[in-house]
Amino acid sequence: MTYNNILVEENNGITTITINRPNKLNALNKQTIEELHDALKEEVADKDTKVIIITGSGEKAFVAGADISEFANFNVEEGTKLAAKGQTMLFDFIENLSKPVIAAVNGFALGGGLELAMACHFRIASDNAKMGLPEVSLGVIPGYGGTQRLPQLIGKGRAMELIMTAGMIDANQALNYGLVNHVTTQGELMPHCEKIAHKISNNSMVAIGAAIKAINANFKDGVDGFAVEIQEFGNCFGTDDFTEGTSAFLQKRKANFSGK
């Protein structure tokens, strides 16, 4: 598939999706959101892809925010539809993918950019990264899940302060808050992400998909995460990967998982 605003590269089971709008600091517009959805959907269906990394082109920005020019004149109904469609099409979609998605935050991750990073299963940042949700400075609030995911990741009080001040934090503060898992130099960012991705890909992808579902269940209203874990744990016993993994352990050899 051909894309205008993103680049897709596949290598040894790892797919890197790069948001490529450097003249706009990789800001998210309608077309980019749609292209990201289509690319992710395609990679989930590709049996060769085990882990997905999302990053931004250039050295300045992961995603510096949403493209404000697209919605500056929206009314209440249009604004509501914008948030609802974006959450369904991309942000919730990423969070619930069965394949791991890593955000490689290589610069500014602001507004919709931080919301995109937070929708990924975890985040790794370069030491020049800056993160924040500045929407209230524009007379609006985060609309792509930012008010929900940020408190889950860094706690209610810190999230309240960051959102209400429209401030930014640097990579080391984000690490201290638990917003990112690791901080590297910019040159080491992608190799570090790929190293972790390869460690993930050595394991059972069907089990990893079950783990993602069980972990996410804990953050959904009205869902018993423990019950989901029990069900997914039981389901694993019916997979080829469980048979292979336990056999390999007992035979003292490396498992060769099929992902089934």
Side-chain angles (χ1 to χ4, degrees):
M1 189 177 292
T2 302
Y3 302 106
N4 293 318
N5 295 332
I6 65 173
L7 305 172
V8 180
E9 181 181 357
E10 301 175 7
N11 186 26
N12 293 326
I14 300 170
T15 295
T16 300
I17 300 175
T18 304
I19 300 163
N20 188 36
R21 301 185 73 211
N23 59 324
K24 296 285 188 178
L25 292 178
N26 304 321
L28 291 179
N29 61 359
K30 178 182 177 182
Q31 184 180 34
T32 305
I33 287 174
E34 291 173 351
E35 288 186 3
L36 284 167
H37 170 85
D38 291 342
L40 289 162
K41 188 175 180 180
E42 191 170 279
E43 293 308 320
V44 169
D46 185 350
K47 61 181 178 59
D48 293 327
T49 294
K50 294 184 176 181
V51 182
I52 300 164
I53 300 171
I54 297 178
T55 194
S57 64
E59 298 182 351
K60 293 183 178 180
F62 172 71
V63 172
D67 196 331
I68 297 168
S69 63
E70 283 196 338
F71 58 80
N73 297 316
F74 275 16
N75 59 29
V76 171
E77 182 180 0
E78 290 169 323
T80 302
K81 287 181 178 178
L82 176 73
K85 184 176 180 180
Q87 287 194 29
T88 300
M89 177 176 287
L90 184 60
F91 299 85
D92 292 349
F93 183 73
I94 290 174
E95 182 178 73
N96 293 300
L97 284 183
S98 60
K99 294 185 179 181
V101 183
I102 303 170
V105 183
N106 58 312
F108 289 108
L110 304 175
L114 181 55
E115 289 174 303
L116 175 62
M118 290 192 295
C120 296
H121 297 122
F122 59 92
R123 291 142 296 283
I124 300 170
S126 57
D127 52 16
N128 68 316
K130 298 285 179 61
M131 293 164 235
L133 295 174
E135 284 87 347
V136 297
S137 69
L138 302 174
V140 70
I141 69 169
Y144 288 146
T147 65
Q148 305 305 298
R149 293 189 178 96
L150 188 62
Q152 291 173 1
L153 290 165
I154 70 173
K156 181 179 177 181
R158 283 173 171 166
M160 284 280 196
E161 179 182 354
L162 195 59
I163 290 170
M164 287 191 282
T165 60
M168 288 190 295
I169 58 173
D170 62 21
N172 287 325
Q173 194 168 2
L175 179 65
N176 182 53
Y177 280 3
L179 184 53
V180 301
N181 289 27
H182 306 277
V183 174
T184 73
T185 65
Q186 194 158 48
E188 293 171 341
L189 178 62
M190 292 309 296
H192 192 77
C193 289
E194 290 163 4
K195 181 180 179 181
I196 293 175
H198 282 301
K199 286 183 177 181
I200 292 171
S201 66
N202 288 331
N203 300 311
S204 163
M205 299 313 299
V206 68
I208 285 172
I212 290 171
K213 185 175 180 180
I215 293 167
N216 283 343
N218 184 55
F219 297 96
K220 298 185 185 300
D221 288 340
V223 177
D224 184 345
F226 290 99
V228 174
E229 179 185 280
I230 289 167
Q231 184 62 55
E232 291 301 319
F233 176 80
N235 290 343
C236 288
F237 283 72
T239 67
D240 293 344
D241 276 5
F242 173 75
T243 302
E244 169 61 15
T246 52
S247 297
F249 177 81
L250 294 171
Q251 295 166 11
K252 294 183 172 57
R253 61 176 175 81
K254 183 178 178 180
N256 182 23
F257 294 113
S258 65
K260 297 179 181 178

